[in-house]
Amino acid sequence: MKKDLLGISDLTRDEIYLVLDTAEAMREIAERPIKKVPTLRGKTVVNLFYEPSTRTRTSFEIAEKRLSADTLNIAVAASSVLKGETLVDTALNIEAMAPDMIVLRHASSGAGHLLARLCKSRIINAGDGMHEHPTQALLDAFTIREHKKRIEGLKVAIIGDLLHSRVLRSNALLLTTLGAEVWVSGPRTLMPPAVERFGVRASTSVDEAVADADVIMLLRIQHERMNGAFFPSVREYFNTFGMTTARMARAKPDAIIMHPGPMNRGVEIASEVADGPYSVILEQVANGVAVRMAVLYLLAGGEGD
Amino acid sequence: MDADRMARTLARIAHEISERNRGIEELALVGIRTRGVPIARRLAEAIKDINGVDVPTGALDITLYRDDLMRHAVGPQPLVRRTEIPFSIDDKRILLVDDVLYTGRTIRAALDALIDFGRPRVIQLIVMVDRGHRELPIKADYVGKNLPTSPSQSVQVHLAEVDGRDEVEITES
């Protein structure tokens, strides 16, 4: 592993499998009477979150605590960032207190790379703008592998707000590296230009993307990143792209439904689908802790292969 | 030690276990990964042959409890594998199984790990080979063979399940 985990693009195929296999071992810890191992005793991990996040921050914090690391949460709403401090200054001040790792969530793409250059601490990207969200893609792959026993050769349909989605980028990179066939669908206005460069096949027809799919992954409509009218109305979006039981019928009978959360029910996903028997959305959350434990453990070692 | 000697040694240990532990029902075997696990399984079979009782058997990976984990400045982390103890160890008589007893550090880690699973009544230690050179105050309750070695030597227990053959080998390193 490299010093930092900034994106799936940092990982080789073998390293991806190493993370998934290690997460497999980590998952058992959650079933013990004492859900804690002494592995990261004496290590300090700072969770630096510049964007609101419940799932990812909580997931990282639980993972750190289960490995016995000392954790510190800095939520920007209550920090000196509001007093005008820049990311670089905040990072250098945190670095001066000698943490071992910094988990960073930031609205700007590449914020993790900036920190990685400045800091001796290992940086884990917990989502940077519209760029990458590597631990999300790893936990998605873990969940898919658990259900389908493989990733190679699967058809995965990713549907929703592709333009603003770091989850799409990380997942497309990871799934195609492991040999899955990835289809994406959504309104033209929410597709990044030349989306095929991620190694995916694009269609504005959900039905085409979903046909015979093994996995359907829905992405949230990110109203907060939209500074224009990308589609006429939420209702029209749901009618054209929302995942319903009728649309699901085109996928394989044993297809699973995934969503990185938070869900907009009645926008990208119908409630009946989100709560359906094929939905693995809450398993994704549970697996997230194990995958993040694996990443923390593997990064805490030396560099190299 | 060849395959035949190893089989007889395991049979002997199984008899010793049966003699020393009245109430076989409370026993459980926990093998330390990698090679403690097949040894534990073989002992479970041998105990069943003697007493007709199925002794529950688990596998313990001690990697996350190692005392040298964060001391290597360079090099990747050791591989973590699954711990599988599919029964409660509370009030059980736990037989901890490993292939070679050397410094005692693996056993220290295993004891810490086991305690996280509950509070057994007793923990006893079974090893195929005791090669001496302890660095911690740890002693085995059942020993397949005492092998006096020098620290420059390496002792390998090969098992059919893992290595394709049963043999104990001493090499100069």
Side-chain angles (χ1 to χ4, degrees), chain A residues 18 21-22 24-29 32-34 36-40 43 67 297-298 300-305, chain B residues 60-61 63-65 69-70 72-85 112-113 115-118:
Chain A
L18 176 64
D21 293 344
T22 306
E24 201 83 59
M26 294 294 183
R27 198 167 51 160
E28 171 267 324
I29 293 167
R32 298 183 187 181
I34 297 176
K36 204 176 180 75
V37 291
T39 315
L40 295 186
K43 301 274 176 194
L67 290 171
Y297 167 73
L298 292 169
E303 289 171 55
D305 38 43
Chain B
L60 184 65
D61 185 276
T63 311
L64 297 171
Y65 291 82
L69 259 188
M70 300 297 160
H72 305 293
V74 288
Q77 296 279 58
L79 209 60
V80 188
R81 279 158 310 166
R82 288 175 75 93
T83 290
E84 286 161 296
I85 304 183
D112 275 358
I115 300 301
D116 282 353
F117 284 86

Side-chain angles (χ1 to χ4, degrees), chain B residues 35-79:
Chain B
R35 287 176 181 73
V37 179
I39 297 175
R41 294 218 181 92
R42 290 190 198 182
L43 283 170
E45 274 176 38
I47 294 171
K48 192 177 180 184
D49 287 345
I50 299 166
N51 301 292
V53 176
D54 272 311
V55 179
T57 307
L60 184 65
D61 185 276
I62 56 104
T63 311
L64 297 171
Y65 291 82
R66 279 169 62 158
D67 59 6
D68 57 350
L69 259 188
M70 300 297 160
R71 294 171 60 89
H72 305 293
V74 288
Q77 296 279 58
L79 209 60

Side-chain angles (χ1 to χ4, degrees), chain A residues 34-56:
Chain A
I34 297 176
K35 302 180 184 58
K36 204 176 180 75
V37 291
T39 315
L40 295 186
R41 219 155 38 110
K43 301 274 176 194
T44 308
V45 185
V46 174
N47 300 315
L48 181 56
F49 277 67
Y50 281 82
E51 280 190 322
S53 160
T54 311
R55 214 173 335 267
T56 305

Side-chain angles (χ1 to χ4, degrees), chain A residues 58 92 161 197 273:
Chain A
T58 313
L92 290 177
D161 183 349
R197 71 183 187 277
V273 173

Side-chain angles (χ1 to χ4, degrees), chain A:
Chain A
M1 302 278 280
K2 292 185 182 173
K3 169 180 161 273
D4 311 290
L5 178 62
L6 303 176
I8 294 299
S9 51
D10 286 344
L11 298 175
T12 63
R13 186 189 158 89
D14 285 350
E15 284 169 338
I16 292 169
Y17 278 122
L18 176 64
V19 174
L20 300 185
D21 293 344
T22 306
E24 201 83 59
M26 294 294 183
R27 198 167 51 160
E28 171 267 324
I29 293 167
E31 292 155 18
R32 298 183 187 181
I34 297 176
K35 302 180 184 58
K36 204 176 180 75
V37 291
T39 315
L40 295 186
R41 219 155 38 110
K43 301 274 176 194
T44 308
V45 185
V46 174
N47 300 315
L48 181 56
F49 277 67
Y50 281 82
E51 280 190 322
S53 160
T54 311
R55 214 173 335 267
T56 305
R57 195 188 54 72
T58 313
S59 179
F60 265 108
E61 194 178 346
I62 290 178
E64 291 150 9
K65 292 200 150 101
R66 291 207 173 140
L67 290 171
S68 298
D70 295 315
T71 66
L72 185 71
N73 294 308
I74 302 179
V76 157
S79 77
S80 49
V81 174
L82 290 185
K83 299 173 188 164
E85 192 173 60
T86 65
L87 171 63
V88 169
D89 283 330
T90 306
L92 290 177
N93 276 275
I94 292 171
E95 176 81 354
M97 296 179 238
D100 297 282
M101 295 192 225
I102 299 174
V103 178
L104 178 72
R105 156 74 59 99
H106 200 280
S108 300
S109 307
H113 293 78
L114 178 68
L115 246 62
R117 279 198 300 277
L118 292 169
C119 297
K120 262 192 251 161
S121 317
R122 283 147 188 275
I123 309 296
I124 299 175
N125 180 5
D128 60 332
M130 302 191 274
H131 178 231
E132 278 226 46
H133 191 354
T135 55
Q136 178 70 45
L138 288 163
L139 76 89
D140 289 340
F142 183 90
T143 308
I144 294 172
R145 190 173 72 159
E146 185 174 45
H147 280 271
K148 302 293 171 193
K149 308 296 167 213
R150 68 194 162 104
I151 288 174
E152 200 167 348
L154 294 180
K155 178 176 177 182
V156 182
I158 306 180
I159 298 152
D161 183 349
L162 308 166
L163 180 65
H164 300 101
S165 180
R166 51 199 175 209
V167 176
L168 165 70
R169 280 160 188 76
S170 292
N171 260 306
L173 279 167
L174 192 159
L175 292 169
T176 53
T177 301
L178 298 192
E181 178 191 347
V182 181
W183 281 71
V184 299
S185 181
R188 266 274 161 233
T189 48
L190 286 177
M191 264 189 209
V195 68
E196 291 83 2
R197 71 183 187 277
F198 299 130
V200 303
R201 300 182 66 176
S203 170
T204 47
S205 155
V206 175
D207 289 342
E208 188 186 6
V210 166
D212 286 322
D214 300 279
V215 178
I216 300 171
M217 194 182 290
L218 302 163
L219 299 176
R220 186 172 63 93
I221 296 302
Q222 304 195 34
H223 297 290
E224 77 277 12
R225 290 188 217 279
M226 292 183 185
N227 47 6
F230 288 90
F231 47 85
S233 73
V234 163
R235 192 176 176 78
E236 183 171 332
Y237 181 88
F238 180 72
N239 286 336
T240 321
F241 298 100
M243 191 49 55
T244 57
T245 15
R247 284 217 167 93
M248 267 210 75
R250 297 184 156 264
K252 291 226 177 95
D254 63 346
I256 54 171
I257 283 278
M258 305 178 77
H259 194 303
M263 271 188 281
N264 290 321
R265 287 171 185 261
V267 183
E268 67 267 2
I269 186 166
S271 267
E272 63 196 17
V273 173
D275 305 327
Y278 33 69
S279 164
V280 298
I281 295 171
L282 291 175
E283 287 174 43
Q284 290 174 267
V285 179
N287 293 337
V289 175
V291 165
R292 289 178 175 116
M293 286 172 76
V295 167
L296 289 159
Y297 167 73
L298 292 169
L299 277 191
E303 289 171 55
D305 38 43

